[in-house]
C-alpha cells in the first residue's frame, strides 16, 4: 500500500494520533492534548483486557476537548491504517508497555514513519528499566518533574534507549503558580509570615484515594480503613469516603489483590465502630476536591491534584517511604502523617519549596516546541531508522507472548535459571 506523503508546511497543525488502553492513560492523553495549541489530535482506545467501561471513559474525558464525544475502540490490526489515514506526524503511546511496543513497531514500519512519544499518566517514580525497554523505539518521553527528568535520563542511558526526555507539567494540574492551601486565609500566621502546615479544624469530608498496587498487604489496607472508621466514629458531623477508581467488575491499569470494598464489608460485618459511616464514591476526582474536604492516600497522583486545588492532604507514613511503595518523592513534602492523625482529622499541606521542585514548576510551553520539532523532522523523513532496536523490540514481545501461554511452573523455572546465570 502506498502512503501519500504529508504536507511539509511549517504552519500546518501537528497531527497526533493517540492510542490508550486504560482509563488512567486515556485521562492523561486527553488532558495533555487539550492543553496543546495548534494540534490536530485523534484519540483512540485499543481493545484489551483493561478496556475501560463507558462510565469510566466518561469520567476520564470529563473537562477535556473530548468530553461528550465517542472514543473509538480499535484493534491492533487497525493501527497501521489509522496512522496512515490521519497522516500522523506524531504517534502518542499513552498505554501500558506491551501495547506501546506493538504500536511503535507498527508505526516504525511506515514509509514515512511518524515521531513516537510516550509517557506515564501520573507520577513516574521510580523510573523503570522494564517500562523503558517496552518503549525502546520512541523518539521522546514525557516526564513531569525535575526528579523524573534526572531518573529517566539515567534509565535511558542504562537501557541504551536513545530518546529525548521532555519536561512538561501534569495536565491535570491547573494552578498557574505554586498552589497555596485553600484554608490558609483562616489559619493563624506564624511570626515569620508562614502558615502552619497542620490545621486544627476537622475536615467536613475525609476522602481516601486508594491505589491498586500499594500498600500490598491485607493488614496494611485494613489498617487504613480502620483509621477512616475511627475518624467517622469520632467526628459524627463529618463524613469519610473511599474514592473508588472503578466499580466492581470494571478494570483498571493495575490489578488489585485485596479489594477495599471487601475490606470495608468485612469491618462492617465485625461491627467496627464507624465502618457503617464510610461511603464509597465514584466519578471524577474533581467532584471530591471541594471546600471542606481533605484527602488521604499512600502514594497517588490524586495527592498532586489535591495539592493543586489547595485541599489539605496527608500522605500516610506508617508504611514507610521507598521504591516499592512508589512514594519516595513525598518523604520530605511536609504533608506526611500517621494513621493516628488520619483518625484525628489532622491533615496538613506540603511546603512551597517542595511543590516548586516537585511537579509544580512553571509551564513554559516547551513541550509544544519539542513536538513541533519532532513533527518537522517526521515530515522531512529525518527521523532515525533503528533496525537493531526493532529486532530487540520484537524479541521482547515474543517472550512476553510466550510467558502468557506457558504454564506458571515453567515460567518460574525459567526465572530461577536466569537468576543463577
Amino acid at each position: 500500500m502506498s502512503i501519500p506523503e504529508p504536507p511539509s508546511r511549517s504552519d500546518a497543525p501537528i497531527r497526533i494520533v493517540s492510542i490508550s488502553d486504560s482509563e488512567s492513560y486515556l485521562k492523561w492523553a486527553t488532558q495533555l492534548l487539550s492543553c496543546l495549541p495548534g494540534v490536530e489530535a485523534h484519540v483512540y482506545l485499543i481493545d484489551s483486557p483493561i478496556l475501560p467501561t463507558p462510565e469510566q471513559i466518561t469520567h476520564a474525558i470529563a473537562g477535556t476537548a473530548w468530553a461528550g464525544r465517542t472514543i473509538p475502540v480499535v484493534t491492533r490490526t487497525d493501527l497501521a491504517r489509522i496512522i496512515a489515514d490521519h497522516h500522523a506526524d506524531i504517534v502518542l503511546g499513552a498505554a501500558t508497555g506491551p501495547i506501546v511496543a506493538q504500536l511503535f513497531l507498527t508505526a516504525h514500519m511506515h514509509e514515512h514513519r511518524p515521531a513516537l512519544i510516550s509517557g506515564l499518566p501520573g507520577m513516574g517514580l521510580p523510573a523503570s528499566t522494564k517500562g523503558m525497554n517496552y518503549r525502546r523505539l520512541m523518539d521522546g518521553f514525557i516526564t513531569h518533574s525535575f526528579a523524573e527528568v534526572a531518573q529517566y535520563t539515567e534509565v535511558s542511558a542504562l537501557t541504551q534507549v536513545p530518546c529525548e526526555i521532555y519536561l512538561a507539567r501534569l495536565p491535570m494540574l491547573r494552578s498557574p503558580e505554586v498552589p497555596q492551601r485553600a484554608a490558609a486565609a483562616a489559619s493563624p500566621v506564624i511570626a515569620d509570615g508562614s502558615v502552619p502546615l497542620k490545621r486544627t479544624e476537622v475536615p467536613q469530608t475525609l476522602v481516601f484515594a486508594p491505589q491498586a498496587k500499594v500498600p500490598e498487604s491485607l493488614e496494611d489496607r485494613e489498617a487504613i480503613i480502620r483509621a477512616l472508621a475511627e475518624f467517622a466514629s469520632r467526628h459524627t458531623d463529618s463524613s469519610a469516603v473511599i474514592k473508588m477508581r472503578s466499580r466492581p467488575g470494571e478494570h483498571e491499569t493495575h490489578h488489585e489483590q485485596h479489594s477495599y470494598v471487601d475490606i470495608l464489608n468485612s469491618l462492617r460485618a465485625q461491627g467496627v465502630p464507624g465502618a457503617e459511616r464510610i461511603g464509597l464514591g465514584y466519578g471524577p476526582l474533581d467532584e471530591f476536591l471541594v471546600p471542606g474536604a481533605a484527602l488521604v492516600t499512600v502514594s497517588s497522583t490524586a495527592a498532586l491534584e489535591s495539592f493543586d486545588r489547595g485541599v489539605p492532604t496527608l500522605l500516610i507514613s506508617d508504611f514507610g517511604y521507598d521504591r516499592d511503595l512508589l512514594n519516595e518523592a513525598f518523604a520530605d513534602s511536609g504533608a506526611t502523617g500517621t494513621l493516628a492523625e488520619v483518625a484525628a482529622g489532622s491533615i496538613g499541606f506540603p511546603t512551597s519549596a517542595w511543590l516548586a521542585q516537585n511537579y509544580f514548576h512553571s509551564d513554559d510551553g516547551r513541550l509544544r516546541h519539542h513536538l513541533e520539532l519532532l513533527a518537522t523532522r517526521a515530515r522531512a523523513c529525518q527521523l532515525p531508522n533503528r533496525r537493531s532496536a526493532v529486532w530487540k523490540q520484537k524479541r521482547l514481545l515474543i517472550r512476553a507472548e510466550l510467558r502468557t501461554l506457558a504454564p506458571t511452573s515453567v515460567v518460574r523455572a525459567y526465572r530461577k535459571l536466569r537468576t543463577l546465570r
Side-chain angles (χ1 to χ4, degrees):
M1 178 182 68
S2 63
I3 302 173
E5 187 170 353
S8 58
R9 293 188 303 109
S10 60
D11 60 342
I14 301 174
R15 295 180 296 272
I16 299 179
V17 168
S18 174
I19 305 294
S20 298
D21 61 348
S22 71
E23 175 266 341
S24 58
Y25 274 105
L26 177 64
K27 177 180 177 180
W28 175 67
T30 53
Q31 290 185 336
L32 174 69
L33 295 170
S34 295
C35 295
L36 293 172
V39 164
E40 177 189 308
H42 303 274
V43 174
Y44 294 88
L45 277 163
I46 192 165
D47 195 9
S48 74
I50 57 174
L51 184 70
T53 64
E55 183 180 18
Q56 285 178 302
I57 293 172
T58 298
H59 294 163
I61 62 179
T64 75
W66 282 265
R69 294 162 60 179
T70 299
I71 306 297
V73 178
V74 299
T75 66
R76 294 184 187 183
T77 57
D78 297 321
L79 295 178
R81 175 187 55 79
I82 290 169
I83 294 169
D85 286 350
H86 294 300
H87 303 297
D89 301 316
I90 294 174
V91 170
L92 172 61
T96 52
I99 294 295
V100 174
Q102 291 280 2
L103 170 65
F104 285 0
L105 273 174
T106 300
H108 206 281
M109 297 304 173
H110 275 251
E111 181 181 352
H112 301 289
R113 86 162 178 91
L116 310 175
I117 61 172
S118 189
L120 300 177
M123 291 184 60
L125 297 176
S128 163
T129 56
K130 180 180 179 181
M132 189 65 77
N133 277 321
Y134 273 123
R135 295 166 173 83
R136 177 166 292 279
L137 295 175
M138 67 185 169
D139 300 290
F141 185 79
I142 301 171
T143 63
H144 303 105
S145 77
F146 297 113
E148 288 189 7
V149 169
Q151 283 201 28
Y152 280 96
T153 299
E154 182 179 345
V155 170
S156 173
L158 181 66
T159 55
Q160 297 182 340
V161 176
C163 68
E164 297 183 55
I165 306 297
Y166 302 138
L167 174 64
R169 223 183 193 228
L170 277 167
M172 65 279 293
L173 305 183
R174 305 169 186 167
S175 52
E177 299 176 348
V178 172
Q180 301 293 322
R181 189 177 60 189
S187 301
V189 177
I190 303 175
D192 64 1
S194 63
V195 177
L197 291 177
K198 295 295 181 184
R199 69 176 201 167
T200 55
E201 60 267 32
V202 173
Q204 298 170 12
T205 305
L206 187 60
V207 181
F208 170 55
Q211 288 168 280
K213 297 176 69 174
V214 297
E216 186 176 10
S217 76
L218 175 61
E219 293 76 15
D220 289 347
R221 289 172 169 248
E222 184 175 304
I224 295 172
I225 305 305
R226 285 185 179 275
L228 292 177
E230 185 176 348
F231 170 85
S233 179
R234 290 169 60 177
H235 306 288
T236 54
D237 290 336
S238 299
S239 59
V241 176
I242 304 174
K243 195 284 177 190
M244 306 299 296
R245 292 181 62 89
S246 60
R247 296 183 185 275
E250 293 180 335
H251 297 288
E252 299 180 23
T253 305
H254 302 289
H255 174 69
E256 185 173 54
Q257 185 174 2
H258 302 292
S259 164
Y260 282 105
V261 175
D262 293 341
I263 294 171
L264 178 59
N265 289 335
S266 175
L267 295 185
R268 286 175 174 175
Q270 296 172 41
V272 173
E276 287 291 341
R277 300 192 63 247
I278 299 175
L280 298 176
Y282 301 90
L285 181 61
D286 262 356
E287 296 180 2
F288 298 83
L289 301 179
V290 296
L295 185 122
V296 172
T297 189
V298 174
S299 170
S300 173
T301 304
L304 300 180
E305 294 189 60
S306 185
F307 297 159
D308 186 60
R309 312 305 192 263
V311 173
T313 307
L314 182 146
L315 282 300
I316 299 171
S317 61
D318 294 57
F319 316 120
Y321 296 92
D322 57 41
R323 291 176 64 88
D324 291 338
L325 286 168
L326 312 175
N327 62 359
E328 284 181 310
F330 292 114
D332 59 351
S333 66
T336 63
T338 64
L339 288 174
E341 289 176 290
V342 172
S346 179
I347 314 297
F349 199 75
T351 65
S352 295
W354 184 90
L355 288 167
Q357 287 297 314
N358 295 271
Y359 299 96
F360 290 90
H361 52 276
S362 61
D363 184 4
D364 56 6
R366 193 171 299 176
L367 177 63
R368 173 60 174 75
H369 174 69
H370 289 313
L371 298 184
E372 185 173 3
L373 290 177
L374 278 180
T376 300
R377 292 171 61 193
R379 291 167 183 168
C381 300
Q382 294 177 348
L383 296 170
N385 190 332
R386 302 193 182 101
R387 289 185 176 86
S388 61
V390 166
W391 286 110
K392 285 183 180 180
Q393 197 75 90
K394 286 182 177 179
R395 288 197 298 269
L396 177 66
L397 288 172
I398 289 171
R399 289 199 300 269
E401 292 288 346
L402 289 175
R403 282 197 297 270
T404 64
L405 298 174
T408 303
S409 58
V410 174
V411 174
R412 286 175 180 169
Y414 169 72
R415 288 174 177 167
K416 186 175 181 180
L417 285 173
R418 288 191 64 187
T419 60
L420 295 176
R421 289 180 179 177

